[in-house]
Amino acid sequence: MPKINILNDITINKIAAGEVIERPASIIKELVENSIDAGATQISVEISSGGKNLIKIIDNGCGIDKDDVNKAFLRHATSKITQAEDLYALSSLGFRGEALASISACSKMEMITKTEESIIGTRIVLHGGVVSVKEAVAANTGTQIIVRDLFYNIPARRKFLKSNQSETMAITDLMNKLAIGNPHIRFKYINNKKIAFETPGDGELYSTIRMLYGKDIADNLIHIDYKTNFYKISGYTANNNVYRSNRNMQHIFINGRYVKSTNIMNVLNESYKAIIPINKFPIYFINLEMDPATIDVNIHPNKLEVKFNKEAEVLSSLSDYIRGVLLKSSLIGRYREKFTPKKEEIIESKEVLQKNEEVREFDAFSTFTYSKPSEVTEAKEEKPISLGSFKSLEEIEEVKEVKEEVKDTPIINTPSIHEKPKQISFIEEEETAKNSDFKNLKYIGIVFDTYILFQKNEDMVMMDQHAAHERVRFEMYMKQFKSNTISTQMLLDPFLMDLSPTDMMVVSKNLDVFERYGFAIELFGHKNISISGVPNTFGNPESKRFIYEIIDNLHKMDNIYDAKYDDIAEIACKSAIKANDKITDKEALALLRQLEACENPYTCPHGRPVLVKMSKYDIEKMFKRKM
Ligand code: ADP
Ligand code: MG
């Protein structure tokens, strides 16, 4: 039996370094968080070779007193807490007192620091955690840290670092998030001697976003500001004109600290389900403020996952709020010539922006609020028709007559969900809040048997007939579905379902939910449920599949309608007129009016746009009348 040894501090720090320091980005995270905790208003981060050879951080924070400099590099040396109770009232970022000890153990590190009170600064150099130089130097107030040759003394770890490019990408991603989370700090990020970005540090989140991600994103943001008893949320969330193929642009901060909360992300992503295409991810920049005592701080500093009290309440209120916000924003896409940046801009932004980005060809319309009911005014202003317009004057007159007719068309019965008439029914919605986006639309005609054209002041508005009808149908079916109180159909032969222990737990904890959804369920032994009644939806009894759907979605379901969303969307899609279906002018106008009555007229249930507009200016540019 070999003898038991007590490891020395340097070995302990080297082992710990493996936990805290995964890669260059984790060093930068620790050091920048230290600078933020030190009250810095300017932080410069410089790297070369993906941070493997050089990381240099300069801040104008409070600095470290010369008598404390050595202590700072000791394990569990921190100025941020003195006892365990302090943890619960903590508002600073790091507190474990591990970062400097760990980083210095696995690199060649140099620090120059000076406090306001001190006339002269201190320079300390450590190789593998061992102090080799400590001297007085002239310095500005603040701290400068240089980390060279990361893992030079732990070759196994150095080997596991990724390519310079992927390490740089991870750092860039982190820098973006640090900058977004701290708009009051002026960040400068230098990569291989070139400035990748510099943020204004003016305290405005908006200008920071614009600086980092450009006008296209900034122009499509909705401001968010909301407070409940448990939390306050602020920031920006994008409308449906911009989105990404991955989650890179989803920024969630809690009390200013970047976190990865799968639960919060799911709630936010779910709110966009109907308005952006499937498999795309919304963009948001939000900060939640919560009492630090309600947050579980005892998670590992590397793990960005976070836990907090009253999570279910917070999530559900967040979901309601965001959905409301999205509904109130205008969601008509605008056609635009693809943005072609200048050559220098491409080079610079390539380094800054994430991969897999795509610039959509739509951008925001104006913000809209439901305006008071007013007349439908498609045909109010009949300016003389210019050459090249789609219809002659006579034809326009005809259309006008058609419109009068449409207004007088009696209400034809609402089609039941079982029949699938692929024609537009002429339903006049009486108490519709008229939406200003639908005002002054002058009907022009239909192109390609698919797109219905309107002129609105200086814009041409195109409506996709399938998407529009799909939306109309979807909301109609949803309404029917909701107005039918859920009835239970008792079964002659109750059946048993075999459930996994986890599913069993979910069901047993939520028997009341299943009851509300129309199931008659009983627990049967410890792995079976017996079902003696099922809900009737759309006149058909529901199946086992629905039980599984409820089990799987219970955590994010506010109500039974959410669970039925996809089914209803599918029925709506199948029963709607298609592209290339020929419809009459009369039907086109009826469709417009039905769309206007929709709660969300801007996208089909799958999130594709229903309306797209193109400005007169864009058209004139195409004809080179305007440059
Ligand atoms: P922690 O941040 O968990 O306290 P660190 O090892 O990161 O542990 O830092 C140790 C201590 O060194 C901090 O508590 C702080 O007092 C001091 N310190 C580190 N970086 C800075 C900085 N940039 N400016 C001022 N003080 C710093
Ligand atoms: Mg720290």
Side-chain angles (χ1 to χ4, degrees):
M1 201 52 188
K3 258 179 53 195
I4 296 179
N5 297 312
I6 300 219
L7 301 176
N8 64 23
D9 280 352
I10 294 205
T11 314
I12 293 172
N13 285 340
K14 247 166 125 175
I15 295 170
E19 276 175 43
V20 184
I21 310 304
E22 247 179 288
R23 58 196 302 190
S26 28
I27 294 188
I28 293 174
K29 176 173 176 289
E30 292 293 334
L31 296 182
V32 170
E33 287 185 348
N34 279 348
S35 300
I36 296 171
D37 283 345
T41 56
Q42 290 180 27
I43 301 174
S44 149
V45 175
E46 180 176 353
I47 59 163
S48 70
S49 320
K52 293 177 196 169
N53 295 343
L54 174 86
I55 293 171
K56 182 173 180 182
I57 315 253
I58 307 173
D59 71 45
N60 66 346
C62 64
I64 306 174
D65 193 82
K66 77 171 193 308
D67 297 331
D68 277 345
V69 167
N70 288 64
K71 249 194 270 166
F73 290 91
L74 295 177
R75 216 162 139 66
H76 305 305
T78 178
S79 56
K80 295 163 197 172
I81 52 172
T82 52
Q83 50 188 5
E85 285 78 69
D86 292 353
L87 280 178
Y88 300 96
L90 198 76
S91 54
S92 66
L93 299 168
F95 59 84
R96 290 166 169 255
E98 284 180 326
L100 292 186
S102 302
I103 299 166
S104 63
C106 60
S107 68
K108 298 173 185 164
M109 188 162 174
E110 175 181 344
M111 177 199 265
I112 297 174
T113 185
K114 187 184 93 65
T115 58
E116 182 84 71
E117 301 76 41
S118 174
I119 321 162
I120 194 120
T122 310
R123 174 169 178 264
I124 185 168
V125 180
L126 299 95
H127 280 193
V130 181
V131 179
S132 61
V133 178
K134 189 183 174 192
E135 60 188 3
V137 290
N140 293 326
T141 298
T143 304
Q144 165 178 328
I145 292 179
I146 301 176
V147 179
R148 289 198 179 86
D149 302 332
L150 177 62
F151 295 138
Y152 78 100
N153 52 352
I154 317 178
R157 303 234 19 158
R158 177 133 184 135
K159 247 193 359 229
F160 274 101
L161 293 176
K162 302 224 174 80
S163 69
N164 289 357
Q165 200 200 343
S166 22
E167 294 299 345
T168 304
M169 264 171 55
I171 295 169
T172 303
D173 189 48
L174 170 79
M175 286 306 301
N176 285 339
K177 271 145 198 170
L178 287 166
I180 293 289
N182 298 280
H184 56 286
I185 295 176
R186 205 184 160 90
F187 282 97
K188 189 191 243 180
Y189 171 42
I190 304 162
N191 176 21
N192 291 332
K193 301 211 183 305
K194 273 203 299 247
I195 297 185
F197 69 68
E198 210 171 348
T199 62
D202 58 0
E204 298 288 338
L205 175 59
Y206 185 84
S207 45
T208 313
I209 296 171
R210 197 183 154 124
M211 182 70 231
L212 290 177
Y213 297 122
K215 180 171 156 40
D216 204 52
I217 302 284
D219 280 353
N220 283 295
L221 296 178
I222 307 165
H223 186 239
I224 275 178
D225 195 8
Y226 183 61
K227 200 175 158 189
T228 74
N229 285 341
F230 303 124
Y231 70 93
K232 181 177 180 301
I233 181 172
S234 58
Y236 293 90
T237 195
N239 63 27
N240 66 335
N241 284 318
V242 287
Y243 44 72
R244 289 289 180 271
S245 307
N246 58 38
R247 294 169 188 262
N248 270 353
M249 292 280 276
Q250 308 196 328
H251 307 68
I252 301 173
F253 299 84
I254 294 185
N255 296 342
R257 181 183 193 137
Y258 179 70
V259 296
K260 275 220 170 77
S261 163
T262 321
N263 286 342
I264 297 179
M265 272 187 179
N266 284 343
V267 158
L268 294 174
N269 295 353
E270 198 66 19
S271 310
Y272 279 82
K273 187 168 171 184
I275 64 168
I276 63 174
I278 290 166
N279 294 330
K280 300 290 175 194
F281 296 94
I283 297 169
Y284 39 77
F285 309 87
I286 60 158
N287 184 35
L288 284 165
E289 275 166 57
M290 292 192 241
D291 178 355
T294 64
I295 302 168
D296 181 4
V297 287
N298 222 352
I299 36 177
H300 196 273
N302 259 354
K303 301 243 163 37
L304 297 169
E305 272 294 337
V306 69
K307 287 198 189 114
F308 47 92
N309 295 349
K310 305 262 186 221
E311 193 152 332
E313 279 98 328
V314 171
L315 293 177
S316 138
S317 120
L318 204 58
S319 161
D320 291 347
Y321 172 66
I322 298 289
R323 279 169 207 248
V325 163
L326 289 175
L327 258 186
K328 276 200 226 118
S329 344
S330 172
L331 302 159
I332 295 190
R334 178 194 280 277
Y335 167 85
R336 213 172 36 123
E337 269 186 272
K338 216 166 185 145
F339 167 67
T340 31
K342 289 190 219 100
K343 213 170 162 197
E344 319 80 82
E345 283 174 325
I346 298 177
I347 295 165
E348 217 176 85
S349 61
K350 240 195 204 159
E351 289 173 358
V352 176
L353 297 178
Q354 270 70 359
K355 261 185 162 181
N356 298 335
E357 269 193 286
E358 47 185 75
V359 179
R360 275 185 72 191
E361 291 180 8
F362 305 107
D363 79 9
F365 193 51
S366 57
T367 339
F368 98 81
T369 40
Y370 282 109
S371 54
K372 290 209 188 77
S374 63
E375 263 307 325
V376 182
T377 49
E378 303 96 302
K380 246 185 188 163
E381 27 167 10
E382 293 284 14
K383 284 186 202 146
I385 312 298
S386 59
L387 274 177
S389 134
F390 291 90
K391 286 189 183 264
S392 69
L393 249 179
E394 290 81 3
E395 282 170 309
I396 292 284
E397 288 306 317
E398 256 176 53
V399 174
K400 243 165 80 184
E401 274 163 37
V402 170
K403 276 178 222 153
E404 297 309 320
E405 258 177 65
V406 172
K407 277 186 189 151
D408 295 329
T409 314
I411 297 170
I412 298 176
N413 70 315
T414 319
S416 124
I417 201 138
H418 297 297
E419 31 178 283
K420 296 197 324 187
K422 288 205 176 170
Q423 103 203 47
I424 295 155
S425 51
F426 297 98
I427 313 165
E428 282 276 356
E429 294 276 349
E430 288 301 325
E431 288 160 53
T432 318
K434 294 278 190 280
N435 172 340
S436 63
D437 284 342
F438 286 78
K439 271 202 233 159
N440 299 319
L441 284 175
K442 189 167 95 185
Y443 178 74
I444 305 293
I446 304 174
V447 280
F448 310 128
D449 292 326
T450 304
Y451 305 103
I452 305 170
L453 303 187
F454 301 91
Q455 183 183 327
K456 178 181 167 132
N457 307 326
E458 297 287 279
D459 286 318
M460 175 168 82
V461 177
M462 292 166 268
M463 175 168 96
D464 178 320
Q465 66 182 38
H466 171 65
H469 201 208
E470 212 180 347
R471 164 55 64 185
V472 168
R473 281 288 159 117
F474 176 76
E475 293 201 5
M476 181 182 83
Y477 291 149
M478 204 46 132
K479 226 186 256 167
Q480 280 183 18
F481 181 56
K482 287 185 181 176
S483 64
N484 283 340
T485 39
I486 297 157
S487 66
T488 301
Q489 179 170 333
M490 295 314 282
L491 302 172
L492 288 175
D493 292 316
F495 62 91
L496 281 187
M497 266 174 86
D498 215 11
L499 294 185
S500 72
T502 342
D503 288 350
M504 197 66 192
M505 214 165 70
V506 174
V507 175
S508 60
K509 271 201 195 147
N510 295 284
L511 280 175
D512 57 320
V513 177
F514 285 91
E515 214 165 89
R516 247 188 291 135
Y517 290 178
F519 284 99
I521 288 191
E522 263 175 273
L523 300 180
F524 199 82
H526 51 267
K527 63 186 193 64
N528 286 293
I529 51 174
S530 144
I531 292 131
S532 51
V534 294
N536 259 322
T537 50
F538 297 133
N540 295 316
E542 277 296 345
S543 61
K544 278 184 187 178
R545 196 175 62 94
F546 191 43
I547 296 183
Y548 284 122
E549 261 171 42
I550 296 178
I551 294 175
D552 290 343
N553 295 305
L554 214 55
H555 61 283
K556 60 176 185 198
M557 239 163 52
D558 281 342
N559 51 55
I560 190 172
Y561 313 117
D562 286 349
K564 279 278 139 197
Y565 187 99
D566 293 338
D567 289 354
I568 295 178
E570 199 185 320
I571 299 170
C573 177
K574 290 213 174 111
S575 70
I577 51 161
K578 300 278 178 298
N580 300 317
D581 281 352
K582 286 197 186 348
I583 61 169
T584 62
D585 292 339
K586 211 169 165 179
E587 287 175 314
L589 285 161
L591 180 57
L592 175 75
R593 204 154 298 133
Q594 290 169 16
L595 182 69
E596 179 180 9
C598 283
E599 215 178 308
N600 168 12
Y602 302 107
T603 57
C604 81
H606 305 105
R608 285 188 298 273
V610 171
L611 300 162
V612 168
K613 69 178 189 178
M614 191 172 178
S615 68
K616 185 177 174 193
Y617 178 80
D618 286 328
I619 297 172
E620 286 180 332
K621 257 175 70 179
M622 279 192 314
F623 287 102
K624 306 285 180 221
R625 286 173 174 276
K626 293 239 162 67
M627 295 314 266

